[in-house]
Amino acid sequence: MSAKRISTAVALGLALLALTACGNTIRGLGRDMGNAVDATQDAGRSVANSVK
């Protein structure tokens, strides 16, 4: 293989790795946001129940 072909393959591999990492980060952020919403709702229910 020529140096140009090898460098192209390496660049493509790095780009795919970066995109995969971004996808995992976005998925994790979505889960974290969902958990934060759930925790906020639970806290609101706890406050509402303690007032009754």
Side-chain angles (χ1 to χ4, degrees):
M1 289 179 98
S2 68
K4 184 177 180 180
R5 228 174 238 243
I6 292 172
S7 63
T8 301
V10 169
L12 182 61
L14 290 174
L16 289 173
L17 182 66
L19 290 174
T20 301
C22 289
N24 288 335
T25 300
I26 291 168
R27 245 180 273 127
L29 181 62
R31 274 190 231 117
D32 291 343
M33 296 288 279
N35 289 337
V37 169
D38 291 342
T40 303
Q41 289 175 342
D42 289 344
R45 283 188 209 105
S46 295
V47 169
N49 289 336
S50 69
V51 173
K52 290 181 183 180

